Each structure stands twice: as C-alpha cells, then as structure tokens.
Amino acid sequence: MNAYVTLLINESYVPGALVLAKALRNNGTKFKLAILLDTSTVSAYSQNLIKELYDDIIEINDDKIFMPVDLVTRKLGRPQLAVTLTKILIWQLVQYKHIIYLDADTVPLKSLDHLFERFASQKPTEVVASPDIGWPDVFNSGFMVIKPDPSVYAFIKNYSEQGEMVSYDGADQGLLNEVFHLQDHEGYNWIRLPFVYNMTPSTLYQNSPAIERFLYDIHLVHFVGAIKPWLYGSQTGTMFHDMWWKIFNDNFLEVDRVKLLSQKPKDGLNLKSSSGSTFTDTTSIASAFSALNVEEAAKVFPWEHRDPVSATRVFDLT
C-alpha cells in the first residue's frame, strides 16, 4: 500500500494541509492520504475538517523530534523550524510500502501517482527529491519520495544527535542532505527529480520568462518562506497564490473558511474565478491559469513593479 503523507504540528498550517489534500483528491489520486498530526496543538474544529479529507490520522503528540532551537534560530532565524525534524518519522511508517511526502505548504498541479511506479525499485537508503533553488547543490526536503525502513530512521535519528555540524542549516533539510547527499554514507543516495516537481515561486530564479516557458511542466508548487498564501491574502498579483486561494474557495464552505482564517486576512474569501476547475491535466491547468490571467501575473517579484525612472547621472566611458 502506497500513501501521500504530510506533517501538521500547529494550527497555523491547517489551511495549507486542507488545500493540499483537496488538490491531491482533485487530481484523481488512487492512493491513501495520511497525516502526522499533533492533536495537542490543533483545534477540534480543524481536526474534524482534516478527518474528512485524510484516510489515516497518525497522532504524534509524544513523538515529536526537535533540532536545538538556538541552532535553528542562529542559522535560519526561524526557531519554529526546530520541530520540523519530526518529518523523519515517515521512515517509521512501515504500514506503507512507498511514501510521497509533501509539506503542508505545497500544492500539486498534476497527479503525482506515476512516481510510485517510476521509482518502484527505489531502495530505503535512497531519497527522490528535486533540487533546492540556487546554491548549494542540495535537495529540498518539502517533497520527497521514500521507502519506509526502521533502520534508516534509526540511522538518521542517531546522526542528528552528533552535534551542530550534522545539519548545515540547523533544520531538517540540512540534516537530510548531510545523510543522503553531502556526506559519504555507504548506500545513501539522492535521486534527482527536475525542479518542476517542487517549484518555489518566491525565488530569484522564477522570473517571468521562465514561468512562461515552463508553466505547463510544473507538477508541484511549494510556498517556501515565512509568508504563506493563507497569511498573505488573495490579492497578491501572483498566479500561484491566486491558484491556492481558488482551491480553498472552491472546495470549502464559507463558514469553514471564516473559521479557519479568523485570525488571518479574509479577503481571499472574495476571490472571483471560474468554479469547477481541478488541476488534473494540462487542459484544466491551462483553463485555470487562463482565468487567472497569466500575463497580468507575470511580474512575480516586488522589484519588478517599480515605475521606470530616468538616469540621474550619465558617464562617458569612451
């Protein structure tokens, strides 16, 4: 039995986990959806919504794993990421033969089911993942294909306890890259997927020409960083944030949306877009992006919106 698995360890990521599940369902997955859930930090209301969408709820209240908070704070400035090391629990989920792990701030635009067959012969000591943006040459741990194995879990856990240098960023991505890629651990290996399987729209590389050229190759969008779509509001002027809000608005009742966003911006409740679109294939993606006006959303970054100015000083270099 194969499964998609995500991790939810606080209330603030509930909207993301719900949209992730809806996107997977809309794309027609035939596999189970499972969630590692800290029920002590997620409200009963949110848990009921989660149970409607996820097949397996795996409570991790007493099983969470932390990197040293001071280390994550010093290296990344985000102490809340210390608990993300909990995601290594996926290697313990031996009830599943094969797992596609997804962070709760990801949204698949196409079915990912083919990856289970494509990597059917994958070894437990191998991780399938896309490269992170820019340098260094490492993989992003927000989307991974893995085979559970208790011995691999034990190896990762033991390695994580050997001091500061086990993670270059102080968090799970640094640790997992050290284990599977950067250090010479016999048999441990990173199998590289193209960047379009884990596209991060908030980075320098994702300029408008690249988006225009590779738009319909994108399998998954990953909203990295501290600002998530459900915190940002809907009217951001970027197609991918608007896409997230469309899935949220089309698939959840207004009473649930209001409740989920009661402490967050609510303007996304009024996003106007055609209903009924799923992101199942290139046709539906094209239709959805057409409704969102891709050309108007081509300027992704704040510095791309500056008004043109004339030069104040000219040098003659001849």
Side-chain angles (χ1 to χ4, degrees):
M1 178 173 55
N2 300 327
Y4 291 92
V5 179
T6 192
L7 170 69
L8 184 61
I9 47 183
N10 60 61
E11 186 77 18
S12 66
Y13 272 74
V14 170
L18 295 175
V19 167
L20 170 60
K22 274 295 184 181
L24 288 166
R25 299 290 190 196
N26 290 348
N27 286 329
T29 183
K30 61 182 180 182
F31 297 105
K32 281 196 169 187
L33 306 189
I35 185 167
L36 297 168
L37 179 65
D38 183 354
T39 58
S40 69
T41 60
V42 176
S43 68
Y45 189 96
S46 294
Q47 289 184 47
N48 287 333
L49 293 174
I50 289 166
K51 290 174 182 177
E52 292 177 5
L53 293 175
Y54 285 88
D55 302 296
D56 294 339
I57 311 296
I58 304 166
E59 293 190 13
I60 56 169
N61 299 27
D62 299 321
D63 298 321
K64 295 186 294 295
I65 306 171
F66 294 81
M67 291 294 283
V69 175
D70 60 337
L71 177 62
V72 182
T73 303
R74 186 169 72 252
K75 292 196 171 187
L76 290 175
R78 295 176 65 191
Q80 68 272 25
L81 295 181
V83 72
T84 60
L85 189 60
T86 301
K87 74 172 59 171
I88 72 171
L89 290 174
I90 59 177
W91 274 274
Q92 283 194 324
L93 303 180
V94 293
Q95 63 267 43
Y96 309 121
K97 180 180 179 182
H98 221 153
I99 283 174
I100 293 179
Y101 171 82
L102 301 158
D103 275 353
D105 56 357
T106 62
V107 178
L109 306 188
K110 301 180 181 182
S111 174
L112 302 170
D113 285 6
H114 64 281
L115 294 176
F116 287 118
E117 182 176 356
R118 178 176 172 182
F119 297 103
S121 61
Q122 176 185 2
K123 299 175 183 177
T125 53
E126 296 173 328
V127 61
V128 178
S130 297
D132 200 24
I133 197 64
W135 74 279
D137 185 23
V138 297
F139 62 84
N140 186 287
S141 61
F143 167 77
M144 300 181 290
V145 186
I146 68 112
K147 281 197 170 181
D149 186 285
S151 63
V152 173
Y153 167 78
F155 183 86
I156 299 171
K157 182 68 165 57
N158 291 337
Y159 186 76
S160 73
E161 297 170 349
Q162 294 180 14
E164 285 197 8
M165 299 308 295
V166 299
S167 173
Y168 71 82
D169 65 359
D172 66 280
Q173 181 163 300
L175 172 69
L176 292 174
N177 271 278
E178 297 288 356
V179 169
F180 288 95
H181 173 47
L182 298 176
Q183 301 295 329
D184 187 17
H185 298 135
E186 185 177 357
Y188 284 76
N189 187 39
W190 165 30
I191 300 175
R192 185 187 298 257
L193 276 177
F195 185 70
V196 291
Y197 277 91
N198 191 355
M199 193 276 285
T200 53
S202 58
T203 57
L204 292 173
Y205 179 78
Q206 290 306 317
N207 52 33
S208 54
I211 290 176
E212 182 178 356
R213 170 63 179 83
F214 298 104
L215 179 62
Y216 300 110
D217 296 323
I218 298 171
H219 284 68
L220 181 116
V221 175
H222 187 180
F223 298 100
V224 298
I227 303 299
K228 309 303 180 185
W230 56 93
L231 300 174
Y232 217 117
S234 68
Q235 306 304 319
T236 64
T238 67
M239 73 183 81
F240 299 110
H241 278 76
D242 288 348
M243 177 206 68
W244 187 96
W245 279 101
K246 174 174 170 50
I247 298 172
F248 185 64
N249 287 336
D250 285 355
N251 290 280
F252 296 95
L253 298 173
E254 184 170 354
V255 62
D256 293 327
R257 288 181 278 155
V258 170
K259 182 74 173 179
L260 289 166
L261 301 173
S262 60
Q263 304 301 320
K264 304 175 182 69
K266 303 181 183 66
D267 61 331
L269 299 173
N270 301 315
L271 178 63
K272 305 297 183 183
S273 58
S274 58
S275 61
S277 294
T278 61
F279 296 90
T280 306
D281 53 30
T282 54
T283 302
S284 60
I285 293 174
S287 174
F289 280 140
S290 176
L292 293 173
N293 197 341
V294 173
E295 292 184 0
E296 288 298 318
K299 292 185 177 181
V300 177
F301 308 107
W303 56 83
E304 294 180 300
H305 295 267
R306 293 179 297 185
D307 294 330
V309 296
S310 300
T312 57
R313 186 177 300 175
V314 177
F315 296 94
D316 185 357
L317 299 179
T318 60

